[in-house]
Amino acid sequence: MGVTEQLARFAIETKAGFLTPELIESAKAKFLDTLGIMVAGSQHATGRIALETAREIGGHPEATIVGYADKTSISLAGFVNGVSAHALEYDDNTLGVGHVSVCLVPGCLAVAERLNLSGRQLIEAFAIGFEVTSRVAKGLRPYLIDRGWHPIGIVGAQGVAVATCRMLGLDQLATRMAMGIVASSATGVRKNVGSMGKAFHVGNGVRAGILAAALARHGFKVDPDIIEGADDSGEGHQRFGLADTFNGIGNHRLQLIVEHLGESFELGRNTTIVRMHPGSTAPGAAIDGMIDLATRHNLTIRDVDEIHVECTPQCVAIAPYPEPSDEHHAKFCLPYTLAVAFIDREIGIAQYSDARITNRKVKDFMRRIRISVPDDLKHHRGQWGENGVNWGEARLTINLKDGKVVSRACSHAKGWPEQPASWEDLCAKFEECSAVILSKSQIDDAVAMLKKLQDVDSVRELTRILVPVVRT
């Protein structure tokens, strides 16, 4: 069997009941984190534009658009909810894979609501889709991102497609068709990172995965082995499967996609970073370190002569913008993020408001922050490749005007696998995000339901809670 067939068979033929307590708890945590962010993101301009567009297109009222009273088709609901979930750049990030939950939660939720599935069936589909996404990503990275692709829309769409096929009860051949269809429709280019385009990559991947499964269900036929190319076909069409097309011929490790497939699940490993600060993932440790230094030494901007931040080349590449021209660039601007972390002692949603970004005091203080990549950190490839230690490694040195120096080496942030976020941490984050439109009783009900999601009879009980009682 080829790679595509093995993944499809795994997705469809893995028997119900495979969930362990560990997988269930991990899935529930990811739903809690992602749904809260989705509620907040639904009120962001990016989410609102996606909603208005969906309203213009129209669709059968099959699935809920979180944060609104609207229902629309499952593909459009998945699109809007995916855009909203990534709009604030606050969702989780699985090492070596990327932003998996932000694709799988909205995709699985829309389909499960349409089919009136139980919470356990939702978690099963999520776990399968999460594993397929992780497998495809590990076979294609680091080449995928190094060639300029934003990976999650590409690999996450595969996970959404197979999870949808499983929920629809399709066979392995139809699932391979869905994988082939979505390979031609999900994408994302890195130059759009730092704009609304990044959230579009996610929403489009969700939409494409659901639509691909729907087409396959009705008999749409494509190449059944889309991931792998035909090695003996020269330059003919059949040579260019998904891996060779996106990565360049031979720049992949397809064996990692199927090695020990089904023996364990990525969802059950402690490999996911929960972002406790919106914005680029990589500077998380530096943000925590900056807040700690400023707080512990009771520093103000008047005390500081210069701040020197040493970090990895991946941290700079992920957050490359020198100026925060808008909130999207600000989330990927190291000088801004670290300056406002020092001044405000926190990085939350409010730190990326227009008023904060344009604040003269913050902009002036940014000029005192110098970013560099020292020789001993240049070898770090982190989640992009091999032989790396940690893409978030950083060293902070604050030179004070009185001649004193305070410094700190930073390795990991709260929410990272080395310092995991607790259920209570996620509940607090859920409340922070969802309080913008949900009542306290709705928030409490949603958290309680997510806590026992595996026992919920119908996913529709959950989606009903995620709609504000009074639209604002």
Side-chain angles (χ1 to χ4, degrees):
M1 288 188 288
V3 170
T4 309
E5 183 176 354
Q6 289 183 65
L7 283 179
R9 288 187 178 276
F10 161 76
I12 300 305
E13 296 174 4
T14 298
K15 294 182 179 179
F18 69 89
L19 292 175
T20 64
E22 185 178 47
L23 292 176
I24 292 172
E25 291 306 308
S26 179
K28 291 191 298 186
K30 289 170 175 58
F31 270 87
L32 176 63
D33 188 41
T34 307
L35 288 174
I37 302 160
M38 192 186 298
V39 171
S42 71
Q43 305 306 296
H44 186 271
T46 308
R48 287 183 182 275
I49 291 170
L51 169 69
E52 291 303 325
T53 304
R55 285 172 172 169
E56 289 180 3
I57 295 172
H60 294 298
E62 300 173 322
T64 300
I65 294 180
V66 169
Y68 296 90
D70 298 59
K71 286 182 180 287
T72 187
S73 67
I74 52 175
S75 60
L76 277 177
F79 170 74
V80 176
N81 289 337
V83 168
S84 294
H86 203 50
L88 297 177
E89 203 63 49
Y90 209 1
D91 51 291
D92 67 29
N93 191 323
T94 297
L95 296 172
V97 183
H99 305 278
V100 190
S101 301
V102 80
C103 288
L104 268 297
V105 168
C108 292
L109 188 70
V111 178
E113 181 183 2
R114 166 66 179 83
L115 299 175
N116 198 24
L117 301 184
S118 68
R120 180 170 288 272
Q121 289 171 305
L122 171 67
I123 294 173
E124 282 189 357
F126 176 81
I128 292 292
F130 200 100
E131 185 66 14
V132 169
T133 300
S134 301
R135 291 281 179 157
V136 175
K138 290 181 178 181
L140 301 186
R141 292 173 69 113
Y143 309 101
L144 194 63
I145 195 167
D146 285 341
R147 285 174 61 88
W149 299 109
H150 179 222
I152 196 55
I154 298 166
V155 301
Q158 292 289 332
V160 172
V162 300
T164 301
C165 288
R166 182 180 177 92
M167 287 185 280
L168 289 172
L170 304 189
D171 63 21
Q172 63 86 17
L173 184 57
T175 301
R176 289 160 70 186
M177 296 302 154
M179 296 171 73
I181 295 165
V182 81
S184 290
S185 53
T187 185
V189 295
R190 282 179 61 189
K191 196 171 183 186
N192 267 330
V193 174
S195 74
M196 291 181 178
K198 192 166 186 282
F200 172 80
H201 298 163
V202 171
N204 185 53
V206 177
R207 177 206 61 79
I210 294 172
L211 178 61
L215 287 167
R217 178 170 175 256
H218 288 287
F220 205 93
K221 304 295 184 185
V222 294
D223 191 291
D225 299 303
I226 199 62
I227 294 177
E228 59 268 39
D231 293 337
D232 59 353
S233 61
E235 296 183 359
H237 299 310
Q238 61 270 43
R239 179 67 183 88
F240 294 96
L242 183 150
D244 286 323
T245 299
F246 281 96
N247 283 19
I249 292 177
N251 293 328
H252 45 70
R253 296 168 296 177
L254 299 190
Q255 75 278 5
L256 297 182
I257 296 179
V258 294
E259 192 172 72
H260 306 298
L261 182 61
E263 294 181 13
S264 63
F265 286 76
E266 190 71 35
L267 184 61
R269 302 187 183 98
N270 181 29
T271 56
T272 296
I273 292 172
V274 173
R275 286 196 275 188
M276 303 307 292
H277 310 295
S280 176
T281 308
I287 292 169
D288 282 0
M290 184 69 79
I291 293 170
D292 175 68
L293 282 177
T295 303
R296 184 151 44 93
H297 296 281
N298 195 27
L299 300 176
T300 70
I301 59 176
R302 293 187 299 273
D303 300 317
V304 176
D305 180 43
E306 182 187 64
I307 298 177
H308 183 199
V309 180
E310 297 176 293
C311 56
T312 66
Q314 283 64 48
C315 185
V316 175
I318 288 289
Y321 302 110
E323 293 286 340
S325 57
D326 58 23
E327 68 165 291
H328 301 288
H329 275 198
K331 288 172 182 173
F332 295 90
C333 173
L334 287 173
Y336 172 79
T337 298
L338 296 173
V340 80
F342 179 96
I343 296 169
D344 292 358
R345 307 304 205 249
E346 66 176 319
I347 291 289
I349 294 172
Q351 275 63 47
Y352 292 105
S353 67
D354 289 342
R356 204 72 191 109
I357 292 167
T358 58
N359 182 274
R360 176 51 56 188
K361 182 169 66 172
V362 175
K363 292 175 77 68
D364 289 344
F365 190 61
M366 282 175 53
R367 311 293 176 243
R368 298 187 224 171
I369 297 178
R370 180 165 57 91
I371 311 293
S372 70
V373 178
D375 289 341
D376 65 320
L377 295 185
K378 287 181 179 177
H379 74 285
H380 285 44
R381 293 294 289 167
Q383 70 168 151
W384 283 19
E386 315 305 325
N387 304 316
V389 179
N390 174 11
W391 67 328
E393 194 84 29
R395 291 191 292 264
L396 309 178
T397 302
I398 303 180
N399 297 310
L400 303 177
K401 289 181 179 178
D402 64 5
K404 294 179 181 179
V405 176
V406 295
S407 62
R408 173 174 172 167
C410 314
S411 296
H412 309 96
K414 183 177 180 180
W416 290 30
E418 296 78 8
Q419 301 179 50
S422 66
W423 180 263
E424 290 70 28
D425 291 329
L426 295 177
C427 288
K429 182 179 172 183
F430 183 92
E431 184 165 359
E432 173 207 355
C433 290
S434 56
V436 292
I437 56 169
L438 298 185
S439 68
K440 184 64 167 65
S441 62
Q442 284 179 296
I443 292 170
D444 291 343
D445 289 347
V447 170
M449 189 172 293
L450 287 166
K451 183 68 175 176
K452 59 182 180 73
L453 183 59
Q454 73 274 23
D455 300 320
V456 172
D457 292 331
S458 171
V459 171
R460 293 175 184 174
E461 297 175 41
L462 175 61
T463 56
R464 276 195 292 268
I465 299 174
L466 300 174
V467 175
V469 175
V470 179
R471 274 295 299 124
T472 57

